[in-house]
Amino acid sequence: QLFWEKRLQGLSASDVSEEILKSMELPKGLQGVGPSSTAETLLAAVASALHSGATPITGQLSAAAEKNPAVWLNTAQPLCRAFAVTDDDIRKQEERVQQVRKKLEEALMADVVSR
């Protein structure tokens, strides 16, 4: 199915207490292509491409895909405009990972001390 991501539109993940989990925020440079493209649809497409493919994700390289995605769509890529990841993007992500690891370490140490 060409626009399979549309089937997931409106669905949300929830935790064991059935509280809806907050969706991830995508980088501002990542923009969807196609009919009624939403951030949730784009997230599903990118996550699926990362999980199932071994090729790099570049987005839709043809400018014609924005005009008529049903005709000019590269099915090996998610429904998003072409993008590039910069060294600055990588550096910012590394900083975020370090901050989260530090918070996790503090939480684990607090748990050990409380026991």
Side-chain angles (χ1 to χ4, degrees):
Q1 190 179 30
L2 190 58
F3 299 110
W4 66 267
E5 296 93 346
K6 300 283 292 163
R7 290 182 292 170
L8 301 176
Q9 203 166 15
L11 298 176
S12 300
S14 59
D15 60 14
V16 293
S17 64
E18 296 185 14
E19 187 173 324
I20 294 177
L21 299 173
K22 181 182 170 201
S23 182
M24 290 178 50
E25 289 183 27
L26 294 171
K28 293 182 184 7
L30 202 58
Q31 298 175 344
V33 170
S36 305
S37 181
T38 64
E40 290 81 18
T41 304
L42 180 57
L43 179 60
V46 171
S48 176
L50 287 171
H51 177 71
S52 63
T55 60
I57 297 175
T58 58
Q60 299 296 321
L61 298 175
S62 171
E66 292 186 41
K67 294 178 183 171
N68 192 346
V71 174
W72 299 104
L73 189 68
N74 177 356
T75 56
Q77 293 294 322
L79 289 172
C80 63
R81 292 185 179 137
F83 63 93
V85 178
T86 65
D87 288 339
D88 190 46
D89 293 334
I90 294 170
R91 200 169 7 269
K92 286 179 184 176
Q93 186 63 30
E94 287 173 345
E95 289 172 5
R96 286 182 62 196
V97 168
Q98 291 302 323
Q99 290 171 355
V100 171
R101 284 182 178 167
K102 182 74 173 160
K103 286 182 182 179
L104 178 60
E105 179 184 10
E106 291 169 0
L108 290 172
M109 291 304 289
D111 184 55
V112 169
V113 169
S114 69
R115 288 180 186 210

